[in-house]
PDB file of all heavy atoms in Angstrom:
ATOM      1  N   ARG B  22     -51.166  17.926  -1.892  1.00  0.00           N
ATOM      2  CA  ARG B  22     -52.144  18.763  -2.566  1.00  0.00           C
ATOM      3  C   ARG B  22     -51.778  18.997  -4.018  1.00  0.00           C
ATOM      4  O   ARG B  22     -50.622  19.148  -4.361  1.00  0.00           O
ATOM      5  CB  ARG B  22     -52.272  20.086  -1.836  1.00  0.00           C
ATOM      6  CG  ARG B  22     -52.873  19.853  -0.490  1.00  0.00           C
ATOM      7  CD  ARG B  22     -53.264  21.124   0.166  1.00  0.00           C
ATOM      8  NE  ARG B  22     -53.868  20.801   1.455  1.00  0.00           N
ATOM      9  CZ  ARG B  22     -54.126  21.685   2.390  1.00  0.00           C
ATOM     10  NH1 ARG B  22     -53.829  22.948   2.189  1.00  0.00           N
ATOM     11  NH2 ARG B  22     -54.678  21.311   3.517  1.00  0.00           N
ATOM     12  N   ILE B  23     -52.821  19.029  -4.844  1.00  0.00           N
ATOM     13  CA  ILE B  23     -52.625  19.280  -6.267  1.00  0.00           C
ATOM     14  C   ILE B  23     -52.776  20.766  -6.503  1.00  0.00           C
ATOM     15  O   ILE B  23     -53.877  21.304  -6.423  1.00  0.00           O
ATOM     16  CB  ILE B  23     -53.667  18.500  -7.094  1.00  0.00           C
ATOM     17  CG1 ILE B  23     -53.489  17.004  -6.854  1.00  0.00           C
ATOM     18  CG2 ILE B  23     -53.542  18.843  -8.565  1.00  0.00           C
ATOM     19  CD1 ILE B  23     -54.602  16.152  -7.420  1.00  0.00           C
ATOM     20  N   THR B  24     -51.671  21.429  -6.774  1.00  0.00           N
ATOM     21  CA  THR B  24     -51.721  22.873  -7.014  1.00  0.00           C
ATOM     22  C   THR B  24     -51.387  23.126  -8.476  1.00  0.00           C
ATOM     23  O   THR B  24     -50.743  22.294  -9.113  1.00  0.00           O
ATOM     24  CB  THR B  24     -50.699  23.610  -6.135  1.00  0.00           C
ATOM     25  OG1 THR B  24     -49.375  23.249  -6.562  1.00  0.00           O
ATOM     26  CG2 THR B  24     -50.862  23.249  -4.671  1.00  0.00           C
ATOM     27  N   PRO B  25     -51.833  24.256  -9.003  1.00  0.00           N
ATOM     28  CA  PRO B  25     -51.498  24.579 -10.398  1.00  0.00           C
ATOM     29  C   PRO B  25     -49.992  24.570 -10.636  1.00  0.00           C
ATOM     30  O   PRO B  25     -49.535  24.091 -11.668  1.00  0.00           O
ATOM     31  CB  PRO B  25     -52.074  25.985 -10.592  1.00  0.00           C
ATOM     32  CG  PRO B  25     -52.777  26.348  -9.354  1.00  0.00           C
ATOM     33  CD  PRO B  25     -52.710  25.233  -8.382  1.00  0.00           C
ATOM     34  N   GLN B  26     -49.228  25.070  -9.666  1.00  0.00           N
ATOM     35  CA  GLN B  26     -47.777  25.075  -9.820  1.00  0.00           C
ATOM     36  C   GLN B  26     -47.243  23.660 -10.010  1.00  0.00           C
ATOM     37  O   GLN B  26     -46.446  23.397 -10.915  1.00  0.00           O
ATOM     38  CB  GLN B  26     -47.109  25.686  -8.586  1.00  0.00           C
ATOM     39  CG  GLN B  26     -47.291  27.178  -8.419  1.00  0.00           C
ATOM     40  CD  GLN B  26     -48.565  27.521  -7.669  1.00  0.00           C
ATOM     41  OE1 GLN B  26     -49.512  26.716  -7.623  1.00  0.00           O
ATOM     42  NE2 GLN B  26     -48.624  28.709  -7.086  1.00  0.00           N
ATOM     43  N   ARG B  27     -47.702  22.771  -9.159  1.00  0.00           N
ATOM     44  CA  ARG B  27     -47.211  21.396  -9.249  1.00  0.00           C
ATOM     45  C   ARG B  27     -47.575  20.764 -10.581  1.00  0.00           C
ATOM     46  O   ARG B  27     -46.769  20.067 -11.193  1.00  0.00           O
ATOM     47  CB  ARG B  27     -47.775  20.571  -8.087  1.00  0.00           C
ATOM     48  CG  ARG B  27     -47.085  20.913  -6.793  1.00  0.00           C
ATOM     49  CD  ARG B  27     -47.602  20.135  -5.620  1.00  0.00           C
ATOM     50  NE  ARG B  27     -46.758  20.395  -4.457  1.00  0.00           N
ATOM     51  CZ  ARG B  27     -47.057  20.025  -3.217  1.00  0.00           C
ATOM     52  NH1 ARG B  27     -48.180  19.395  -2.969  1.00  0.00           N
ATOM     53  NH2 ARG B  27     -46.234  20.310  -2.232  1.00  0.00           N
ATOM     54  N   ILE B  28     -48.808  21.012 -11.028  1.00  0.00           N
ATOM     55  CA  ILE B  28     -49.213  20.433 -12.311  1.00  0.00           C
ATOM     56  C   ILE B  28     -48.352  20.976 -13.444  1.00  0.00           C
ATOM     57  O   ILE B  28     -47.846  20.226 -14.271  1.00  0.00           O
ATOM     58  CB  ILE B  28     -50.708  20.721 -12.587  1.00  0.00           C
ATOM     59  CG1 ILE B  28     -51.561  19.968 -11.559  1.00  0.00           C
ATOM     60  CG2 ILE B  28     -51.086  20.302 -14.006  1.00  0.00           C
ATOM     61  CD1 ILE B  28     -53.044  20.173 -11.732  1.00  0.00           C
ATOM     62  N   GLU B  29     -48.153  22.282 -13.444  1.00  0.00           N
ATOM     63  CA  GLU B  29     -47.379  22.878 -14.531  1.00  0.00           C
ATOM     64  C   GLU B  29     -45.933  22.411 -14.510  1.00  0.00           C
ATOM     65  O   GLU B  29     -45.340  22.134 -15.555  1.00  0.00           O
ATOM     66  CB  GLU B  29     -47.431  24.405 -14.460  1.00  0.00           C
ATOM     67  CG  GLU B  29     -48.784  24.985 -14.847  1.00  0.00           C
ATOM     68  CD  GLU B  29     -49.284  24.474 -16.200  1.00  0.00           C
ATOM     69  OE1 GLU B  29     -48.495  24.455 -17.160  1.00  0.00           O
ATOM     70  OE2 GLU B  29     -50.459  24.073 -16.290  1.00  0.00           O
ATOM     71  N   ILE B  30     -45.352  22.355 -13.318  1.00  0.00           N
ATOM     72  CA  ILE B  30     -43.959  21.919 -13.218  1.00  0.00           C
ATOM     73  C   ILE B  30     -43.833  20.479 -13.704  1.00  0.00           C
ATOM     74  O   ILE B  30     -42.951  20.139 -14.485  1.00  0.00           O
ATOM     75  CB  ILE B  30     -43.437  22.063 -11.771  1.00  0.00           C
ATOM     76  CG1 ILE B  30     -43.340  23.549 -11.404  1.00  0.00           C
ATOM     77  CG2 ILE B  30     -42.084  21.374 -11.603  1.00  0.00           C
ATOM     78  CD1 ILE B  30     -43.084  23.817  -9.930  1.00  0.00           C
ATOM     79  N   PHE B  31     -44.761  19.652 -13.259  1.00  0.00           N
ATOM     80  CA  PHE B  31     -44.704  18.257 -13.687  1.00  0.00           C
ATOM     81  C   PHE B  31     -44.861  18.141 -15.199  1.00  0.00           C
ATOM     82  O   PHE B  31     -44.107  17.435 -15.861  1.00  0.00           O
ATOM     83  CB  PHE B  31     -45.777  17.422 -12.988  1.00  0.00           C
ATOM     84  CG  PHE B  31     -45.716  15.981 -13.385  1.00  0.00           C
ATOM     85  CD1 PHE B  31     -44.833  15.124 -12.762  1.00  0.00           C
ATOM     86  CD2 PHE B  31     -46.505  15.503 -14.416  1.00  0.00           C
ATOM     87  CE1 PHE B  31     -44.740  13.799 -13.156  1.00  0.00           C
ATOM     88  CE2 PHE B  31     -46.419  14.174 -14.821  1.00  0.00           C
ATOM     89  CZ  PHE B  31     -45.546  13.320 -14.186  1.00  0.00           C
ATOM     90  N   LYS B  32     -45.846  18.860 -15.741  1.00  0.00           N
ATOM     91  CA  LYS B  32     -46.108  18.790 -17.176  1.00  0.00           C
ATOM     92  C   LYS B  32     -44.895  19.254 -17.982  1.00  0.00           C
ATOM     93  O   LYS B  32     -44.501  18.604 -18.943  1.00  0.00           O
ATOM     94  CB  LYS B  32     -47.328  19.657 -17.530  1.00  0.00           C
ATOM     95  CG  LYS B  32     -48.487  18.851 -18.000  1.00  0.00           C
ATOM     96  CD  LYS B  32     -49.561  19.594 -18.764  1.00  0.00           C
ATOM     97  CE  LYS B  32     -50.002  20.928 -18.242  1.00  0.00           C
ATOM     98  NZ  LYS B  32     -51.437  21.193 -18.602  1.00  0.00           N
ATOM     99  N   GLU B  33     -44.299  20.354 -17.530  1.00  0.00           N
ATOM    100  CA  GLU B  33     -43.157  20.891 -18.267  1.00  0.00           C
ATOM    101  C   GLU B  33     -42.008  19.886 -18.287  1.00  0.00           C
ATOM    102  O   GLU B  33     -41.337  19.714 -19.309  1.00  0.00           O
ATOM    103  CB  GLU B  33     -42.691  22.201 -17.625  1.00  0.00           C
ATOM    104  CG  GLU B  33     -41.711  23.000 -18.463  1.00  0.00           C
ATOM    105  CD  GLU B  33     -42.345  23.564 -19.731  1.00  0.00           C
ATOM    106  OE1 GLU B  33     -43.510  24.022 -19.664  1.00  0.00           O
ATOM    107  OE2 GLU B  33     -41.677  23.539 -20.790  1.00  0.00           O
ATOM    108  N   LEU B  34     -41.816  19.225 -17.166  1.00  0.00           N
ATOM    109  CA  LEU B  34     -40.738  18.237 -17.113  1.00  0.00           C
ATOM    110  C   LEU B  34     -41.106  17.001 -17.929  1.00  0.00           C
ATOM    111  O   LEU B  34     -40.247  16.349 -18.523  1.00  0.00           O
ATOM    112  CB  LEU B  34     -40.439  17.861 -15.662  1.00  0.00           C
ATOM    113  CG  LEU B  34     -39.141  17.088 -15.424  1.00  0.00           C
ATOM    114  CD1 LEU B  34     -37.940  17.812 -16.001  1.00  0.00           C
ATOM    115  CD2 LEU B  34     -38.945  16.844 -13.931  1.00  0.00           C
ATOM    116  N   ALA B  35     -42.398  16.701 -17.988  1.00  0.00           N
ATOM    117  CA  ALA B  35     -42.833  15.522 -18.733  1.00  0.00           C
ATOM    118  C   ALA B  35     -42.666  15.706 -20.239  1.00  0.00           C
ATOM    119  O   ALA B  35     -42.392  14.740 -20.955  1.00  0.00           O
ATOM    120  CB  ALA B  35     -44.284  15.189 -18.404  1.00  0.00           C
ATOM    121  N   VAL B  36     -42.819  16.928 -20.719  1.00  0.00           N
ATOM    122  CA  VAL B  36     -42.669  17.154 -22.154  1.00  0.00           C
ATOM    123  C   VAL B  36     -41.242  17.513 -22.548  1.00  0.00           C
ATOM    124  O   VAL B  36     -40.923  17.555 -23.739  1.00  0.00           O
ATOM    125  CB  VAL B  36     -43.622  18.257 -22.687  1.00  0.00           C
ATOM    126  CG1 VAL B  36     -45.082  17.882 -22.404  1.00  0.00           C
ATOM    127  CG2 VAL B  36     -43.274  19.622 -22.113  1.00  0.00           C
ATOM    128  N   ALA B  37     -40.401  17.782 -21.541  1.00  0.00           N
ATOM    129  CA  ALA B  37     -39.025  18.190 -21.844  1.00  0.00           C
ATOM    130  C   ALA B  37     -38.268  17.040 -22.488  1.00  0.00           C
ATOM    131  O   ALA B  37     -38.316  15.911 -22.011  1.00  0.00           O
ATOM    132  CB  ALA B  37     -38.315  18.631 -20.567  1.00  0.00           C
ATOM    133  N   VAL B  38     -37.585  17.334 -23.584  1.00  0.00           N
ATOM    134  CA  VAL B  38     -36.777  16.297 -24.213  1.00  0.00           C
ATOM    135  C   VAL B  38     -35.349  16.323 -23.670  1.00  0.00           C
ATOM    136  O   VAL B  38     -34.606  15.366 -23.787  1.00  0.00           O
ATOM    137  CB  VAL B  38     -36.752  16.435 -25.747  1.00  0.00           C
ATOM    138  CG1 VAL B  38     -38.135  16.153 -26.315  1.00  0.00           C
ATOM    139  CG2 VAL B  38     -36.270  17.815 -26.167  1.00  0.00           C
ATOM    140  N   ASP B  39     -34.981  17.448 -23.087  1.00  0.00           N
ATOM    141  CA  ASP B  39     -33.673  17.524 -22.456  1.00  0.00           C
ATOM    142  C   ASP B  39     -33.830  17.158 -20.979  1.00  0.00           C
ATOM    143  O   ASP B  39     -34.825  16.560 -20.589  1.00  0.00           O
ATOM    144  CB  ASP B  39     -33.073  18.926 -22.628  1.00  0.00           C
ATOM    145  CG  ASP B  39     -34.042  20.010 -22.174  1.00  0.00           C
ATOM    146  OD1 ASP B  39     -35.182  19.677 -21.806  1.00  0.00           O
ATOM    147  OD2 ASP B  39     -33.664  21.191 -22.188  1.00  0.00           O
ATOM    148  N   HIS B  40     -32.883  17.503 -20.186  1.00  0.00           N
ATOM    149  CA  HIS B  40     -32.934  17.163 -18.759  1.00  0.00           C
ATOM    150  C   HIS B  40     -32.682  18.447 -17.999  1.00  0.00           C
ATOM    151  O   HIS B  40     -31.594  18.677 -17.487  1.00  0.00           O
ATOM    152  CB  HIS B  40     -31.886  16.099 -18.426  1.00  0.00           C
ATOM    153  CG  HIS B  40     -32.075  14.841 -19.194  1.00  0.00           C
ATOM    154  ND1 HIS B  40     -31.786  14.743 -20.529  1.00  0.00           N
ATOM    155  CD2 HIS B  40     -32.546  13.629 -18.835  1.00  0.00           C
ATOM    156  CE1 HIS B  40     -32.070  13.522 -20.948  1.00  0.00           C
ATOM    157  NE2 HIS B  40     -32.525  12.826 -19.936  1.00  0.00           N
TER     158      HIS B  40
END
Side-chain angles (χ1 to χ4, degrees):
Chain B
R22 293 191 179 168
I23 299 170
T24 67
Q26 289 87 338
R27 285 180 172 169
I28 294 180
E29 288 308 314
I30 292 169
F31 181 83
K32 247 198 316 210
E33 192 68 40
L34 193 54
V36 301
V38 293
D39 52 356
H40 300 73

